[in-house]
Amino acid sequence: MTLADLEKQQIKSLNEVAVATDAAALEQVRIHYLGRNGVVPAVMKQMKDVAPADRPVFGKSVNKWSNELKQALAAKSQLFDKPKKSGSAFDYTLPGRWPTAGSKHPISRVIEESAAIFGKLGFTVADGPDIENKFNNFTALNTPAHHPSMNESDTFWLAEDQLLRTQTSPVQIRMMTEHKPPVRIITPGRTYRRDTTDATHSANFHQLEGLYVDTKPVSLADLKATLAYYAKEMMGSEAGVRFRPHFFPFTEPSVEVDFSCHVCAGKGCRVCKMSGWIEIAGAGMVDPRVFEFVGYPPEEVYGYAFGFGIERIAMIKYGIPDIRWLYENDVRFLEQLR
Amino acid sequence: MKVPVSWLNEYVEVSDLSVQELSDKLTFSGIEVEGIESVGADLDDKFVVGEVLTCVPHENSDHLSVCSVSDGMDEYQVVCGAPNCRAGIKVPFAKVGAVIPDGGFKIKKAKLRGVLSFGMLCSASELNISEESDGIMILESDPATGTPVRELLPPPEIVLDLEVTWNRPDCLSIIGVAREFAALLKRPLKMPSLDFTESGEPVEKYVKVSIETPEMCSRYTARILTEVKDGASPLWMQQRLELCGVRAISLTVDVTNYVMLEMGQPLHAFDYRKLAGQSVVVRCAQDGEIMETLDGVKRTLDSSMLVIADAKDALAVAGIMGGAESEIAAGSEHVLLESALFDPVSTKFTAASLGLATESSRRFERGVDLDLADLASRRATSLLAEHGGAKVAVGVIDCDLRDFKNQRTPLRFDRARQVIGVDISDDAMIEILRDLGLIVESNSGGSAVFVIPSYRLDLTLEADLIEEIARMKGFDNIPGVVLESGSVSTLDDGFFYDRKRCREVLTGFGFTESMHYSFLSAGELDAFDKRSSEFRAVIPNPVSGDFGVLRDSLLPQMAASLGRNASRQVESAALFEMGRVFAKNSEGVFSEEERVSLGIMGPFGRTEITRRTPVSNEEALLWIKGAVENLVNVLHAGNVNFKLNDHPAMEEGWGVDIILNKKVIGCMGLVTAKLRHQWRMTLPMPMAELKLEPLLAGVNKVPAVKPVPAYPAVNRDIAFISDSSITHRDVVKCIRKAGSVELTKIAIFDIFISKEIGKGKRSLGYTLSFRSLERTLTDHEVNESFTKIIQALKDDLKVDVREA
């Protein structure tokens, strides 16, 4: 075949595309030229008969023909594309079908979020039993021998020396008794006090305490920085902390910790009773007598501890007005906090 | 502790500070001001003297009247309900916009039974001038109309209400608080007068004192005052007592209370003439000894309680309350004034066992200044001499058995700087402690020893002194900006993250996490399962019977929560809980264990379209079973199996043991209709409870991967009718046994029951997948194996093959 023949064939083929009147005719043209046994592949096979000098020009021409033909076919076929069926569109307003995920309990959520925040500061989580002995829950925490918190009216005593822990501090005692410093832990867990249940009290509640003890100096300023970081991470970047001196038997100095009100950003509102601050935590430098009880040399170690109620954080953070909601397990409440 | 600011101001000058400044100073140095009370009216210009010009009865009321009131400029129509309202009187008139002190409501223009009222005529109680009042307050002094009412009244008294922490009993007195201010403001402390003249006989002529129990009473002082004119105490004293919440009674009693509030030393006055044998004995009560206390209650004492007695009877419970017999009453002219130091612990126990907490016991329990007894006695004597004309016998009986020496506490200055985290000079620290009344005994440069005043019982350790420095320096001055990384914990907390993983898997499955109390009533637990009730941990002092037992299962509360949701018209719910259960063995040893419970109520997991299809028992329990199997699978816990059990809370034939790695780790089932009835639940309620520990044993043991099959599988379906007693497992076992090694999967695709099939029979359909890891199987091979399987099902299980 000569180049002239090739050109004729090309013109003929493009003409056939042009005159095709329906999709079937167009398909016939495609098969005739481009099909497995079509004209174009056949021409390609004849390449070996072309003089070697002419082969490059010949090859280029065949390729050009093939491409032009394909384009023409594609362009023409669009004219024959069937219109989309009407009347059977997807009703995208129907409810989707996929099982919904459940939600974590707000208390778990606060615990896990807190563990992540303190985890970034190098704290690990520690836990202990709900049923504790007097030494771990009171004595080693330097509770005065006849402190009212030990009364039957405040603490659930199961037996002579067995009680439901009133704080998660006994976990601190356990960890310090078992491990040498440094100890850098948080202790989220369930605690019990003999309170009558109302909107803000629950005999069964949760606490999160933290403890950092080391042989190198640890200061109140470190404690303040740690809690300030937590406040910002948990309550938002606007949150600040304030220390007020207080008294706890297990820390000296002791402070109460206020977070600036997350609702009004410290300006004063109904939530913070116009003070701009919300009382959140108790904290302080571990009392040397506690170190003596766990067998640490009080002169050689430094440490701080802090603690707060998890329910309180959850209630403030999620705007939960009544602590009892947390134990009623109404799914219409729980599922809001996915 | 209530502190009237005007009283405080007698000992330390604070009148130039605003109430807020006073409150902040105290709060941020460690004594929290819980409340600020303003006693008496603090009225703004909206309260003026109003003149009632006219007063006519209200047309639509039998007790209201309509008045015209002048404020000197304008006239206002005011509706008034007071019976003593009449024309011509002058009264406090609250204009629109005024806020009434009693109740804090704001006066607005109002319509009362059809008549407009522009303000209110006030009573004395509405203005917080008196506790109660009878009608509106008529201003008899005839002040000029329009004068602000404020100008007619004494200025209001400000009372600080302090929360005094356990370690600071020294602040249970006005002077104690004044000392704090003196240190905070660096101002001098003024002490009250202790002067009086003694005359007549020496005190020893009147009385002798003996202490039988020095460990419970280390010091007892007594003074004798004669010819006391015991009328009412001066008005200012009565007012101060009242501001502090103490009722005024008579001069002698009021003075003892006044000095207690002022200095912190509880005192007691006995009627000297009632003292048998002219002697005071400090002794323990006899078991069964009966004494009537001042409150009129006859109390039975025991030998652990300390009393003050005369030669015959107990006259007072030491440090707690006096007896009625020796009470100062009208006509008591001669007084024995007791000022003593009683032991905190013994006072606490006696007060607790008598159920008698008094201002006096409260102070002794927490610790009174060790060196105050005589000073306070002198102060009270001085007041009684001044205001009651008392003659004071010469001298004092002071039985002083104390081993008293001021506490010495050392301080390392560097340590203080390290602990506080602020650079404070040694001198600055010494100055702070000096201001608080501490004295430097020695100073070796790096450290010093301080002498602690007798009223600061709490300053025994170095840490206590560090706290004093930190709080006086102000915690706000402690920087909290630099976050030091400190040490990183090396302790393992995998347990926490295992539980988190489990929680996330279950929420992913669609279960919502619930939480219940650790305790509930025995009845609720019994209703579910009382087979091991003898091993429950019982709370001897529960808040109420509803919370009397520690739970030994999570199921009853799970059922109750699902039920509660159902009864609140929630259509469906799936809940889980991860919590602890408790037990007590026959030796009385307590134990606890973590578990997870699962429960479903309603057509959970169905699409909206299919929700109405009734939930069958089988479907319901298979949901829970599927959750358990998936949980075990996702957590890599091992092999799970099931076996029927007879759990009392589950319907017969629908209670199942859950077996993990050949150990029973829990159970599941359908809660009985009887139990469900309390929530009117008709749908099946499937639940499960598993031990958490074995479930989490393999959380991180993700297995090594196997190759993905490279060759296609060949599937064959088989459907047959079999006896209902033949279980799915029977079928699978039979197929597995007969099939070739290439049989890789047996999956049920149909279960069908109908009348045509017949009673006691069901139709089952299975897809069998054959696959080799090495090559593509031929039809011939598969058919051969399949035929064998069909034959085995026919032979071993007597099934009727419908289609294969």
Side-chain angles (χ1 to χ4, degrees):
Chain A
M1 186 180 272
T2 63
L3 278 171
D5 292 339
L6 203 60
E7 198 172 334
K8 264 187 210 158
Q9 283 283 357
Q10 183 176 356
I11 291 166
K12 184 172 173 257
S13 66
L14 290 174
N15 192 47
E16 283 175 30
V17 170
V19 299
T21 51
D22 56 26
L26 199 64
E27 182 64 7
Q28 281 302 316
V29 177
R30 189 189 69 77
I31 293 166
H32 178 69
Y33 289 98
L34 297 174
R36 197 188 290 183
N37 300 313
V39 178
V40 176
V43 171
M44 292 295 267
K45 279 177 195 152
Q46 290 173 27
M47 280 284 274
K48 61 180 187 299
D49 305 333
V50 178
D54 292 342
R55 274 183 202 163
V57 181
F58 194 84
K60 257 185 201 158
S61 300
V62 176
N63 276 334
K64 183 167 165 271
W65 174 25
S66 171
N67 286 336
E68 282 177 10
L69 184 58
K70 279 177 190 162
Q71 276 174 23
L73 282 165
K76 181 92 183 189
S77 75
Q78 287 196 348
L79 297 176
F80 303 135
D81 269 352
K82 285 178 190 160
K84 286 182 184 172
K85 274 187 194 165
S86 61
S88 66
F90 171 52
D91 179 359
Y92 57 85
T93 62
L94 281 172
R97 289 183 198 171
W98 196 263
T100 316
S103 49
K104 285 180 188 175
H105 195 278
I107 290 172
S108 295
R109 186 175 270 270
V110 171
I111 291 174
E112 290 184 359
E113 218 173 301
S114 302
I117 295 166
F118 286 114
K120 283 193 260 181
L121 300 179
F123 287 81
T124 47
V125 183
D127 198 5
D130 287 15
I131 299 178
E132 266 293 359
N133 59 37
K134 185 175 167 183
F135 179 83
N136 286 340
N137 195 79
F138 288 122
T139 314
L141 291 156
N142 193 38
T143 315
H146 307 288
H147 196 267
S149 64
M150 278 189 256
N151 289 351
E152 280 200 356
S153 58
D154 288 23
T155 298
F156 293 109
W157 288 93
L158 298 176
E160 178 81 36
D161 188 32
Q162 300 279 290
L163 53 92
L164 290 175
R165 63 181 176 188
T166 60
Q167 45 200 358
T168 55
S169 321
V171 183
Q172 300 182 12
I173 300 301
R174 284 170 178 271
M175 297 308 279
M176 284 194 280
T177 312
E178 289 165 21
H179 303 277
K180 288 204 171 77
V183 170
R184 196 170 169 91
I185 51 167
I186 57 163
T187 63
R190 189 170 272 212
T191 47
Y192 307 86
R193 286 184 198 170
R194 215 170 156 278
D195 283 330
T196 307
T197 302
D198 62 23
T200 54
H201 293 86
S202 177
N204 174 132
F205 63 106
H206 294 77
Q207 276 194 339
L208 188 147
E209 297 189 12
L211 171 75
Y212 173 38
V213 180
D214 212 329
T215 47
K216 59 187 179 189
V218 174
S219 71
L220 267 177
D222 296 334
L223 169 63
K224 200 170 179 181
T226 303
L227 290 175
Y229 178 74
Y230 176 75
K232 284 191 184 358
E233 291 283 302
M234 197 69 188
M235 294 300 182
S237 57
E238 299 296 307
V241 297
R242 180 174 84 170
F243 277 5
R244 277 181 292 113
H246 199 69
F247 169 73
F248 303 111
F250 33 85
T251 47
E252 186 81 35
S254 301
V255 294
E256 281 195 322
V257 184
D258 300 334
F259 285 9
S260 60
C261 179
H262 62 294
V263 175
C264 62
K267 289 186 199 76
C269 67
R270 202 177 49 82
V271 172
C272 58
K273 296 186 189 117
M274 300 314 292
S275 71
W277 297 93
I278 296 180
E279 189 182 319
I280 297 284
M285 305 307 292
V286 179
D287 194 297
R289 281 162 283 215
V290 173
F291 287 143
E292 279 173 23
F293 278 114
V294 299
Y296 283 1
E299 303 290 310
E300 289 162 30
V301 292
Y302 300 77
Y304 62 68
F306 55 84
F308 49 80
I310 292 167
E311 276 83 350
R312 182 156 170 78
I313 300 275
M315 288 169 78
I316 291 169
K317 184 163 169 146
Y318 305 123
I320 301 165
D322 190 322
I323 199 168
R324 288 169 289 202
W325 289 23
L326 294 168
Y327 294 98
E328 267 190 351
N329 300 306
D330 190 317
V331 294
R332 294 165 301 178
F333 161 67
L334 293 173
E335 287 175 356
Q336 291 178 48
L337 297 167
R338 282 225 164 82
Chain B
M1 173 75 196
K2 292 191 169 180
V3 178
V5 174
S6 64
W7 194 357
L8 182 69
N9 199 56
E10 288 205 356
Y11 314 110
V12 60
E13 181 61 48
V14 293
S15 57
D16 55 327
L17 275 74
S18 73
V19 182
Q20 198 56 48
E21 282 170 328
L22 285 174
S23 165
D24 286 350
K25 282 262 179 225
L26 268 192
T27 296
F28 289 97
S29 67
I31 314 285
E32 190 183 347
V33 177
E34 277 193 311
I36 298 169
E37 289 170 41
S38 173
V39 180
D42 186 11
L43 305 174
D44 64 11
D45 288 341
K46 301 269 189 217
F47 293 88
V48 297
V49 174
E51 184 175 359
V52 181
L53 304 173
T54 62
C55 179
V56 295
H58 190 297
E59 280 185 5
N60 300 321
S61 166
D62 56 359
H63 66 280
L64 295 177
S65 44
V66 180
C67 311
S68 170
V69 179
S70 165
D71 70 347
M73 309 266 290
D74 301 297
E75 282 178 28
Y76 302 86
Q77 175 169 284
V78 176
V79 177
C80 180
N84 61 342
C85 185
R86 60 179 196 275
I89 56 173
K90 289 188 177 172
V91 291
F93 171 45
K95 296 192 199 174
V96 171
V99 176
I100 300 301
D102 181 35
F105 61 91
K106 197 171 180 178
I107 299 293
K108 295 180 195 143
K109 186 176 88 172
K111 202 176 236 185
L112 293 156
R113 302 213 181 170
V115 178
L116 280 171
S117 180
F118 301 86
M120 186 171 108
L121 305 182
C122 305
S123 68
S125 65
E126 281 159 347
L127 299 181
N128 268 359
I129 295 168
S130 72
E131 287 283 303
E132 45 197 270
S133 51
D134 192 16
I136 51 178
M137 183 181 182
I138 298 174
L139 303 167
E140 307 286 2
S141 59
D142 194 29
T145 304
T147 313
V149 177
R150 182 181 57 233
E151 291 176 14
L152 309 175
L153 302 171
E157 267 291 348
I158 304 298
V159 181
L160 305 177
D161 196 355
L162 310 185
E163 188 204 339
V164 177
T165 50
W166 187 255
N167 59 329
R168 293 301 304 275
D170 62 299
C171 285
L172 292 174
S173 67
I174 308 287
I175 289 181
V177 177
R179 263 193 224 111
E180 284 287 298
F181 274 115
L184 286 165
L185 302 169
K186 295 188 174 295
R187 289 179 183 179
L189 184 71
K190 292 170 275 183
M191 291 303 279
S193 162
L194 307 174
D195 298 339
F196 54 87
T197 338
E198 294 174 341
S199 62
E201 302 277 357
V203 67
E204 289 81 5
K205 278 261 176 186
Y206 291 91
V207 66
K208 36 180 210 302
V209 174
S210 61
I211 301 175
E212 290 183 1
T213 50
E215 70 285 357
M216 292 161 92
C217 172
S218 54
R219 190 184 192 189
Y220 194 98
T221 72
R223 278 192 167 80
I224 298 290
L225 295 93
T226 57
E227 295 173 45
V228 183
K229 286 181 250 339
D230 190 40
S233 55
L235 207 56
W236 57 265
M237 189 182 285
Q238 290 187 32
Q239 278 167 347
R240 283 185 174 172
L241 291 175
E242 223 167 272
L243 289 173
C244 293
V246 175
R247 199 160 54 93
I249 294 166
S250 68
L251 179 68
T252 312
V253 176
D254 290 357
V255 163
T256 58
N257 284 331
Y258 185 84
V259 174
M260 173 181 71
L261 294 171
E262 183 183 50
M263 305 181 87
Q265 168 72 51
L267 302 169
H268 191 66
F270 295 94
D271 184 343
Y272 174 70
R273 288 175 310 183
K274 303 271 176 65
L275 212 64
Q278 296 189 327
S279 65
V280 167
V281 184
V282 183
R283 61 162 168 88
C284 286
Q286 284 138 19
D287 279 321
E289 190 169 358
I290 291 173
M291 191 191 85
E292 185 181 341
T293 42
L294 277 175
D295 52 3
V297 179
K298 283 203 169 62
R299 298 182 187 269
T300 309
L301 310 175
D302 66 49
S303 59
S304 74
M305 299 171 178
L306 192 69
V307 295
I308 310 303
D310 60 13
K312 285 176 9 200
D313 300 316
L315 301 178
V317 186
I320 300 175
M321 193 180 266
E325 180 58 28
S326 60
E327 183 181 3
I328 299 290
S332 304
E333 292 175 349
H334 307 317
V335 171
L336 181 145
L337 181 68
E338 162 198 298
S339 182
L341 186 59
F342 298 115
D343 175 58
V345 174
S346 120
T347 310
K348 181 194 140 76
F349 274 111
T350 303
S353 54
L354 291 176
L356 194 58
T358 62
E359 289 283 327
S360 170
S361 69
R362 198 154 73 90
R363 286 175 173 78
F364 279 121
E365 278 173 22
R366 296 171 67 172
V368 168
D369 183 344
L370 299 173
D371 206 22
L372 186 62
D374 186 52
L375 286 179
S377 168
R378 281 157 62 190
R379 170 66 174 153
T381 303
S382 151
L383 286 168
L384 282 170
E386 185 183 348
H387 300 287
K391 289 187 177 163
V392 184
V394 174
V396 59
I397 291 182
D398 188 351
C399 282
D400 189 356
L401 309 174
R402 291 173 303 159
D403 179 20
F404 175 67
K405 183 170 169 275
N406 286 81
Q407 167 84 31
R408 263 73 175 167
T409 306
L411 174 72
R412 290 168 292 168
F413 297 113
D414 276 341
R415 171 91 185 184
R417 278 185 283 269
Q418 283 165 348
V419 168
I420 300 171
V422 178
D423 194 27
I424 317 172
S425 70
D426 297 4
D427 287 345
M429 289 193 238
I430 290 171
E431 189 182 327
I432 285 173
L433 294 174
R434 268 196 189 134
D435 288 342
L436 287 165
L438 282 69
I439 298 163
V440 183
E441 188 174 61
S442 63
N443 184 351
S444 65
S447 66
V449 174
F450 290 85
V451 181
I452 309 300
S454 59
Y455 48 83
R456 288 304 300 271
L457 306 171
D458 58 318
L459 304 182
T460 57
L461 296 183
E462 180 181 56
D464 302 317
L465 299 188
I466 295 175
E467 172 169 60
E468 293 302 293
I469 295 162
R471 75 182 181 91
M472 295 310 272
K473 174 97 181 146
F475 284 114
D476 257 1
N477 295 325
I478 295 171
V481 280
V482 190
L483 195 60
E484 301 259 344
S485 71
S487 293
V488 169
S489 180
T490 53
L491 305 177
D492 175 32
D493 60 359
F495 75 94
F496 177 78
Y497 294 95
D498 294 350
R499 278 151 189 75
K500 183 167 183 272
R501 169 79 179 136
C502 181
R503 188 175 290 123
E504 274 155 9
V505 169
L506 285 169
T507 52
F509 287 177
F511 287 86
T512 285
E513 188 180 16
S514 61
M515 277 201 195
H516 302 91
Y517 276 13
S518 295
F519 28 66
L520 67 168
S521 74
E524 284 168 281
L525 286 167
D526 282 346
F528 254 75
D529 186 359
K530 56 180 169 189
R531 289 174 298 182
S532 53
S533 59
E534 60 188 300
F535 299 116
R536 288 190 195 134
V538 176
I539 302 175
N541 59 334
V543 178
S544 80
D546 290 345
F547 303 118
V549 184
L550 285 170
R551 57 186 178 180
D552 59 1
S553 165
L554 304 180
L555 292 177
Q557 291 162 315
M558 172 57 70
S561 279
L562 291 171
R564 196 176 313 114
N565 276 288
S567 61
R568 290 174 180 182
Q569 292 180 301
V570 172
E571 192 190 11
S572 69
L575 295 176
F576 77 99
E577 179 178 19
M578 292 162 68
R580 293 180 181 180
V581 298
F582 304 84
K584 182 182 173 182
N585 72 11
S586 46
E587 271 107 58
V589 178
F590 294 97
S591 60
E592 49 195 273
E593 177 181 273
E594 282 182 281
R595 293 196 185 162
V596 56
S597 62
L598 307 171
I600 295 177
M601 175 274 287
F604 191 83
R606 295 260 188 90
T607 64
E608 297 201 9
I609 303 296
T610 54
R611 294 184 84 83
R612 291 203 171 181
T613 317
V615 177
S616 73
N617 281 349
E618 186 172 76
E619 184 187 6
L621 194 48
L622 286 175
W623 280 335
I624 283 289
K625 186 186 181 223
V628 170
E629 286 170 333
N630 268 299
L631 186 64
V632 166
N633 198 5
V634 174
L635 299 177
H636 310 295
N639 294 315
V640 65
N641 269 302
F642 302 88
K643 192 172 177 239
L644 284 180
N645 68 14
D646 53 358
H647 194 289
M650 305 303 173
E651 294 287 9
E652 202 171 334
W654 295 90
V656 181
D657 277 337
I658 301 170
I659 301 157
L660 184 70
N661 302 327
K662 301 189 175 160
K663 281 192 185 131
V664 175
I665 62 149
C667 68
M668 62 182 195
L670 294 178
V671 175
T672 60
K674 194 177 159 223
L675 281 167
R676 277 187 280 127
H677 179 72
Q678 57 189 305
W679 305 290
R680 303 285 179 274
M681 279 187 70
T682 49
L683 288 177
M685 178 155 68
M687 298 200 320
E689 179 177 32
L690 299 88
K691 296 183 185 193
L692 197 57
E693 203 77 47
L695 204 55
L696 298 179
V699 172
N700 295 313
K701 293 179 188 149
V702 180
V705 293
K706 291 177 193 158
V708 172
Y711 299 94
V714 180
N715 292 335
R716 290 282 186 274
D717 286 356
I718 180 171
F720 53 83
I721 293 165
S722 71
D723 203 273
S724 290
S725 65
I726 291 173
T727 66
H728 168 69
R729 179 158 51 191
D730 296 336
V731 174
V732 171
K733 265 189 179 167
C734 176
I735 294 174
R736 174 84 58 214
K737 204 172 136 201
S740 57
V741 287
E742 284 82 20
L743 174 63
T744 48
K745 195 171 154 199
I746 305 163
I748 189 162
F749 68 82
D750 189 39
I751 308 173
F752 186 66
I753 296 168
S754 76
K755 271 184 194 154
E756 286 74 42
I757 292 168
K759 218 179 169 191
K761 292 193 180 295
R762 58 181 177 174
S763 164
L764 300 172
Y766 288 85
T767 298
L768 310 183
S769 300
F770 298 84
R771 190 202 293 273
S772 162
L773 287 175
E774 284 120 31
R775 61 205 163 81
T776 305
L777 296 175
T778 63
D779 268 2
H780 178 72
E781 288 175 284
V782 172
N783 288 342
E784 201 175 350
S785 178
F786 190 53
T787 313
K788 275 187 192 160
I789 290 166
I790 293 169
Q791 201 53 51
L793 286 168
K794 283 179 178 165
D795 293 348
D796 300 350
L797 302 181
K798 312 290 178 223
V799 308
D800 175 8
V801 175
R802 303 171 76 193
E803 170 183 344

